[in-house]
Structures are given as C-alpha cells and as structure tokens.
Amino acid sequence: MILSTYTGMEVYHYYYYLLILLITISVLPDLNIKYKSSIIFSTLFYLSIDPDPLDKVIAIILLILFLCFYFASTFVKKLITEKKAYLYLLALIAIHFIIIASKYLYYTDNDLLKELYPLRLSANIILVILITIAGPDYSIPLNLKIFDKLAKKRLSNIESPLTFISELKKLGLTNREIEILKYIGDGYTSKEIAQILNLSKKTIDYYRSVIKDKLNVSTKSELMQIVKDKNLEIEQYLKNNNNLDIDNPPSSLQTSNN
C-alpha cells in the first residue's frame, strides 16, 4: 500500500537525499576514513541488495541518526574538554532530529505531519539562521564541576600516547607546559625543574599554576595521577617535535628522586 504511492520523482528525491547524506558523512572532521568508508559502502551494499523505496527511507533514517550521534558526541566532547556549549552543534542536532521525526510521522500520522508543517518550517528556518549567525566559533561558557571531573577521568584513562598528547593540546597546553608536566610527573619540585631548564623557580611556579588551571586540578598529586605512566611517551613526543632539549637531569637530582 505504502510502496504503491511512490512516484518516479519521489524515488529520485530519495536517491538525491541519500547522496547528500553520504557526501556529508564523507567530509565530517575528526572521523577516521575507515569509518566513513565502511558507512558509505555498507549503505550502498544494503541498497543494491534490495533497492525498495522503503529501504531507502530506512537507510536515510539510519544515516541521519549517525549524524545526530556524531554531532551530539562532538558537543559533549567540547563540553568536557573546553567547558563550552557550541550552539551550532545543538542546532544541527535539532535539525536532524526534526527530519527523523518527520519521516516517522509520514508513515504513522500523515495528517498530523501536515498540521505541523508550519511549525516545522519555522523551526528549521530559525535553526538555519542560528547556525549561520553563530557559526562554529560562538559558544556559551559552562563552568560546572562535573565537567572538570569528566575531563580528568578522560585524561587518566587514555592509554594511547598520541591520543593523550592530542588531548593535552586540545586543553591548550604548550610544548613547554607539557615538558614541565613531565617533570612534575617524575616527582621533581619547582626548584629542581628550574635547575634542569635553567629557569627561575618563580617561572616554574607560574607554569604549574597555568597547567593546573588548564587541566582543572588543584594539587600536585592530581597532576601526577593524570600523567602517570605516560612520561616516556611525553619525552619522546617533545624530542620528535624539536622542543627544548630534554636531557637527563643532573645526577644530584636523579639521586634525590630515586
């Protein structure tokens, strides 16, 4: 019954919609190419097995759901790492949710869908305007303690060295601050770090304060917990990126810390 209502134009419309969704997924940032490829090829394979109009609708809904989860994940990630709520991400989630709801109502209550059309159109226009005006840079700061705890837990649980360094960079740490974080993790005091890097103790204390603010911690033990078991990887990263020479500390310091 449902399938008999489809016209040739509607079929082309769904192919067009699918193509746009697949292109959108293919250009998503922060998503590994293998995931993009698997989504695209699995969708095409699914449609090649049974190119039924209803299957196209299901494929469209699944792709839109994937985009919703992607934007929601990005929103939460930025909320935890940057403590900012990006409005354009919320708008994108809302737009895709409206599309999914519309597809559902198309098959379950078409009359209600027609009644809601003015409201749906107005909501989409407002959301598009919001995305256009706000852009990817506009955000609302949200300094909640729960985000601090989640950020620290996230850093502590990362096992991959490259991912750990990437998270530190996202939180705004410079190579010098990462270097000092390494020595803090090794258990050195500000005075000892100052001696190693030929800086004043006051400068090291300042760096400590900045690092604590960026990582949302208040004590040395919390810093050491974050960097636990990752010092060798940090050292290798700094050497590979031609940071200030990370030489072995003076023998007197090695002795005092062993």
Side-chain angles (χ1 to χ4, degrees), residues 24-36:
T24 301
I25 290 174
S26 70
V27 298
L28 288 175
D30 302 325
L31 192 63
N32 194 297
I33 187 66
K34 67 179 180 181
Y35 296 118
K36 295 179 182 179

Side-chain angles (χ1 to χ4, degrees), residues 101-111:
S102 299
K103 295 296 180 187
Y104 174 77
L105 289 176
Y106 181 82
Y107 292 106
T108 57
D109 196 338
N110 210 347
D111 292 333

Side-chain angles (χ1 to χ4, degrees), residues 25-63:
I25 290 174
S26 70
V27 298
L28 288 175
D30 302 325
L31 192 63
N32 194 297
I33 187 66
K34 67 179 180 181
Y35 296 118
K36 295 179 182 179
S37 301
S38 64
I39 292 167
I40 293 172
F41 285 119
S42 61
T43 302
L44 295 176
F45 180 71
Y46 171 73
L47 293 174
S48 67
I49 293 176
D50 187 7
D52 190 281
L54 186 58
D55 287 329
K56 295 184 183 66
V57 176
I58 294 172
I60 286 172
I61 291 176
L62 290 175
L63 291 175

